[in-house]
Amino acid sequence: MLHMPFEIHVGPNVRTSPYFDATVADGVRAFSVYNHMFIPGNFGDPDAEYDRLINGVAMWDVAAQRQVEIAGPDAERLVQAITTRDVARAAVGQGRYVCVCDHDGIVLNDPVLLRLSAERFWLSIADSDISLWAKAVARERGLDVRVVEPDASPLAIQGPKAMDVARDLFGSWVDDLRYFGFRETALDGIPLVVARSGWSKQGGVELYLTDGSRGGDLWARVKLAGRPYGIGPGAPNDLERLESGLYSYGADGRYQTCPVNPFEIGLGALVDLDGDDFIGRDALVRIKAEGPARRRTGVVLDGPPVAGNARPVALRRGDDAIGVVTEVAYSKRLERSIGHALVAVGTPDDGLTAMLDDGPRPARLADLPFIKTP
Ligand code: THG
């Protein structure tokens, strides 16, 4: 990991999750901050945490994936206005991966959209303040909706044995959920929403706890059900997501520091240009017609295993800056250092140099994903 000769000061302005005490009791060793909330970063054993995700089952406090609830007679109109998907086609009980873009087509967030009823939606957001955007658009357009942060806190169960745990907890109906499908239910009187989703390509569910006072109870219940399968605590895994090609809002783009549009990061399929109007549509029509100038790609780095990076670094070809390497990690499965990069379209695949903090590294581009999961 990165050498950090300092601590990060945190105080009461950073919010805690309903699972916070449980994760501390289970040995969390590092937190990050996401949506102004602590999110576990690791539990001190990166190899074991990665191994559980790839070969077993892991449980993650991802309550910092906050929900923006949009409810009321004009809910569908507001969700349509602020997402790139054709929301009329979103069914109750079926989630969808969506983009929220600004008027220039820049990605502000890449949430999971859940339609809880005809007039009630959740946007399960990545790390940016979408409730502000949603509230402002609603009021400026005179829409009859409420935009609130509900008491809803996801706990992810991920890995090849995750569905075994979910089945033991809820019953065999969980196997019938389609990807991003969900259902409201309860577990020992703990109210929650079970969804077939999670920020890995290893499969599993997310439990959206809807009574924040029961976080410790739910954590304990999942831990108990997972014991026969060797469950252990973990966190969204940067190495796995790099291998699997998942987009990370914040790492691979952020509207303030590294503005990107959906077409250049490989999320063009989330843009429904044939459906109803939405904010950013005109810009995205133009960008699609012109062809994006950059593209997100994999990158392989030569030399000893990389330590990880604290910030994006330049990617060069000779003296030309041709892009940025957004995140790197060493993959034991691939026996190489890999990363994601944003590069100018037309850049040759090899003869590149990644300007890592500890020195330049020879690099070449590679297709995403590095590892496909069936
Ligand atoms: N779960 C929930 N909320 C979230 C995330 C999550 N909010 C923040 C962040 N993650 C949102 N971003 C993503 C990014 C990728 C995926 C889900 C949420 C994902 N992608 C698959 C892929 O790219 O292969 C499937 C995409 C698809 O089928 O359209 O799962 O994880 N609750």
Side-chain angles (χ1 to χ4, degrees):
M1 277 295 108
L2 294 176
H3 175 58
M4 300 221 301
F6 53 81
E7 292 176 2
I8 295 175
H9 173 75
V10 287
N13 61 320
V14 180
R15 304 190 293 172
T16 55
S17 131
Y19 313 113
F20 181 81
D21 292 345
T23 60
V24 170
D26 278 356
V28 66
R29 288 287 299 277
F31 284 105
S32 186
V33 174
Y34 192 94
N35 284 321
H36 313 276
M37 184 179 270
F38 288 117
I39 185 169
N42 68 69
F43 287 74
D45 193 345
D47 287 347
E49 289 165 39
Y50 175 81
D51 184 65
R52 282 198 287 266
L53 174 60
I54 302 300
N55 299 310
V57 54
M59 56 192 289
W60 303 345
D61 170 4
V62 285
Q65 294 169 355
R66 297 316 288 165
Q67 309 307 301
V68 176
E69 178 166 306
I70 296 172
D74 288 333
E76 183 176 310
R77 285 176 68 193
L78 179 59
V79 176
Q80 178 63 46
I82 64 170
T83 67
T84 56
R85 302 303 290 265
D86 189 10
V87 177
R89 284 164 39 205
V92 173
Q94 183 59 44
R96 312 180 89 189
Y97 186 32
V98 309
C99 283
V100 175
C101 288
D102 72 7
H103 298 77
D104 300 317
I106 299 302
V107 177
L108 299 179
N109 205 291
D110 66 332
V112 179
L113 172 66
L114 293 84
R115 184 172 209 157
L116 296 150
S117 70
E119 297 189 352
R120 183 164 163 252
F121 297 83
W122 283 350
L123 285 170
S124 183
I125 58 170
D127 186 23
S128 67
D129 292 313
I130 293 307
S131 65
L132 300 175
W133 181 256
K135 275 172 194 272
V137 171
R139 287 298 279 268
E140 292 293 318
R141 294 190 175 198
L143 298 178
D144 184 5
V145 292
R146 291 179 309 284
V147 179
V148 294
E149 184 183 280
D151 181 0
S153 299
L155 187 170
I157 309 174
Q158 298 285 291
K161 298 179 183 168
M163 292 312 290
D164 297 319
V165 179
R167 201 178 305 113
D168 289 357
L169 282 168
F170 298 103
S172 57
W173 60 264
V174 293
D175 288 307
D176 301 330
L177 291 172
R178 288 193 291 153
Y179 200 71
F180 290 131
F182 63 89
R183 192 203 269 194
E184 295 184 58
T185 183
L187 186 65
D188 300 346
I190 307 171
L192 49 79
V193 173
V194 182
R196 189 91 176 245
S197 55
W199 202 61
S200 84
K201 292 299 266 184
Q202 309 309 313
V205 295
E206 290 178 299
L207 314 182
Y208 294 72
L209 170 68
T210 53
D211 176 354
S213 74
R214 307 296 304 274
D217 297 336
L218 182 59
W219 187 268
R221 189 72 187 80
V222 172
K223 193 172 160 182
L224 186 67
R227 188 162 294 159
Y229 305 99
I231 204 168
N237 192 286
D238 289 325
L239 171 56
E240 191 276 344
R241 83 95 187 173
L242 290 170
E243 292 171 341
S244 298
L246 285 180
Y247 179 70
S248 172
Y249 180 85
D252 296 331
R254 183 180 282 288
Y255 76 89
Q256 300 100 324
T257 51
C258 178
V260 295
N261 66 62
F263 294 110
E264 53 192 358
I265 57 174
L267 298 184
L270 307 188
V271 181
D272 291 337
L273 292 178
D274 297 330
D276 278 352
D277 200 17
F278 57 84
I279 292 171
R281 186 178 185 282
D282 294 348
L284 291 170
V285 166
R286 208 167 45 241
I287 290 164
K288 188 176 185 187
E290 288 166 1
R294 300 178 297 180
R295 68 186 183 94
R296 185 167 64 100
T297 174
V299 59
V300 173
L301 308 161
D302 288 347
V306 290
N309 55 320
R311 62 187 87 87
V313 298
L315 190 61
R316 303 185 156 273
R317 191 161 203 276
D319 290 335
D320 298 332
I322 55 92
V324 289
V325 176
T326 56
E327 185 170 5
V328 298
Y330 179 72
S331 168
K332 273 197 191 158
R333 274 198 289 176
L334 296 168
E335 299 183 316
R336 13 179 98 109
S337 299
I338 62 168
H340 286 194
L342 196 61
V343 302
V345 167
T347 300
D349 280 359
D350 45 22
L352 308 177
T353 308
M355 308 302 285
L356 295 189
D357 283 347
D358 60 4
R361 290 283 185 109
R364 63 185 178 282
L365 305 184
D367 289 341
L368 292 177
F370 286 99
I371 300 178
K372 263 205 189 72
T373 32

